[in-house]
Amino acid sequence: MYEFKYHRPATVRQAANLLVKNEDAKVIAGGHTLVPVMKQRLASPPHLIDLSHIEGLNAIEMKGRSLVIGATATHADVANSATVREAIPALAELAGGIGDPAVRHKGTIGGSLANNDPTADYPAAVLALGATIVTNKRRLKAEEFFQGLFSTALESDEIITKVMFPLPKKAAYVKFRNQASRYALVGVFVAKRPSDVRVAVTGAGSEGVFRATAFEEALKKRFSHKVLDGITASPEGLNSDLHGSAEYRAHLIGVLTRRAVEAATAK
Amino acid sequence: MAKISLIVNGNAVNANIDPRTLLVQFLRENLRLTGTHVGCDTSQCGACVVHLDGKAVKSCTTLAVMADGHEVRTIEGLAADGAPLHPMQEAFREHHGLQCGFCTPGMIMTAVDLVNRKGHDLSDEVIREELEGNLCRCTGYQNIVTSIAAGAKAMAKSA
Ligand SMILES: Cc1cc2nc3c(=O)[nH]c(=O)nc-3n(C[C@H](O)[C@H](O)[C@H](O)COP(=O)(O)OP(=O)(O)OC[C@H]3O[C@@H](n4cnc5c(N)ncnc54)[C@H](O)[C@@H]3O)c2cc1C
Ligand code: FES
Ligand code: FES
């Protein structure tokens, strides 16, 4: 790990000022992506700005018809929150399936979204539920936020402060775990929203999370796994690696979408 | 350098460290608490698990400066020197939950955290699921699971 200076701001405003003032500075939340990457010397920020001590930034609450989750809420906070379990149980389950218990005690929703790992779980939920990402500067819709492999619409001095999830009518997430890393080999989040149906796929796409529109169209007519017979995902644009071929991942998208719809309708 | 003050195993500790110092390094090299092990150094194996404010975390993936102002408990903090072992340690001894012992401190700290969160009556399935982030190269896990189930029950009695 290269040398850096450590800062512990008390407010988002202070953190943002530190980001502007110090060139190439980076924020750190749970550190469960950034610390490993710094250890490998793949990142060498000269300044680290710790968001984890900003009071209230991890708050979870209902605001009208939206579930609002603060950026530094850990995966364990979300998994165990009575508010999340009541509002969007599928989201609590997703958070409870990230990594292992120790990872869930540190990793945060803001860090996961900012990182936009193509095999991460949260991006699928955010895209399928049509969540809004709130930063210190503006509000971003999920579809404008994710911009391909490990990239997002965030500017270098922008900090995610919270994520707003409109409540779906039904939702479920099914993840097929990579047996070694426990990240998603493929994960599918299905949401029946008041206005439409969304199917978001993580782990499979070579450009990160994406929507499976063929499945969405069929489910819009009738939200039942039965309408999915005969619909398949194309392996084009999907990842192929030692963990699974593009064809295998395409097959999993079909299987997991069906399972997710079954799980959502059973609730 | 950065000044930090934290509580480790109930004792106040002050130090001036390079911000790059990992919590596990700080514990092992500065405080000579070598019970916490480094198995992989890549966040996978759980040999380095300690409790930070009462929750299990991987100390190889935590910066010591971020623990400034917080409370850390390591395997050394479970039972005082010479005192009877913590019920979870005793259960591992009794049920042969270790062979080489390298993974054991992390297994035990993870197990105590598990009991704190999920109670004293743990099914094998729950225990195996919760051990997701702890690897053992020796035992084949069977006796670790048995030890944790027994240790969880023993902790209820001693509490
Ligand atoms: C062993 C292991 C297993 C894992 N398994 C899974 C898994 O199954 N599924 C999964 O989805 N993830 C998994 N993860 C990743 C884990 O969820 C990470 O913690 C998470 O992706 C990053 O969150 P963090 O808070 O640790 O971010 P950090 O490491 O602190 O930061 C990550 C990046 O986001 C930026 N950042 C952080 N917070 C903000 C913010 N509020 N605003 C703007 N930028 C910000 C940082 O600058 C950095 O670039 C795993 C990690 C480990 C170590
Ligand atoms: S040494 Fe920390 S997880 Fe392996
Ligand atoms: S007892 Fe040897 S690694 Fe677990």
Side-chain angles (χ1 to χ4, degrees), chain A residues 1-6 8 28-33 35-36 39 48 50 52-53 74 77 80 99-106 177 180-182, chain B residues 2 18-22 41-44 49 52 55-58 60-63 65-70 110 113 117 129-134:
Chain A
M1 203 184 296
Y2 289 105
E3 272 183 295
F4 61 85
K5 197 165 178 311
Y6 172 77
R8 189 184 278 195
I28 184 164
H32 268 47
T33 292
V35 171
K39 281 163 91 173
L48 267 195
D50 183 356
S52 70
H53 292 82
T74 63
D77 291 339
N80 299 326
D100 58 58
V103 168
R104 295 195 284 273
H105 282 148
K106 294 289 283 178
R177 287 175 154 179
S181 77
R182 317 307 285 174
Chain B
D18 184 325
R20 284 182 285 188
T21 313
L22 299 169
D41 208 12
T42 56
S43 327
Q44 309 289 329
V49 168
L52 181 60
K55 292 177 188 166
V57 303
K58 291 178 171 176
C60 75
T61 315
T62 303
L63 295 169
V65 274
M66 287 178 80
D68 179 24
H70 295 265
T110 299
D113 171 74
R117 285 183 293 111
E129 183 65 29
E130 290 277 336
L131 287 182
E132 186 100 60
N134 292 76

Side-chain angles (χ1 to χ4, degrees), chain A residues 19-101:
Chain A
L19 267 182
V20 173
K21 243 192 293 170
N22 298 293
E23 205 178 330
D24 296 329
K26 257 189 173 304
V27 295
I28 184 164
H32 268 47
T33 292
L34 192 50
V35 171
V37 169
M38 288 172 65
K39 281 163 91 173
Q40 294 170 306
R41 297 189 167 182
L42 294 173
S44 50
H47 295 267
L48 267 195
I49 301 161
D50 183 356
L51 299 181
S52 70
H53 292 82
I54 297 178
E55 218 164 301
L57 198 58
N58 62 350
I60 298 176
E61 58 185 351
M62 284 301 300
K63 276 238 172 86
R65 295 284 296 156
S66 288
L67 170 67
V68 182
I69 301 183
T72 55
T74 63
H75 308 327
D77 291 339
V78 174
N80 299 326
S81 156
T83 310
V84 181
R85 287 179 165 282
E86 160 102 33
I88 313 180
L91 195 59
E93 276 166 38
L94 175 147
I98 295 176
D100 58 58

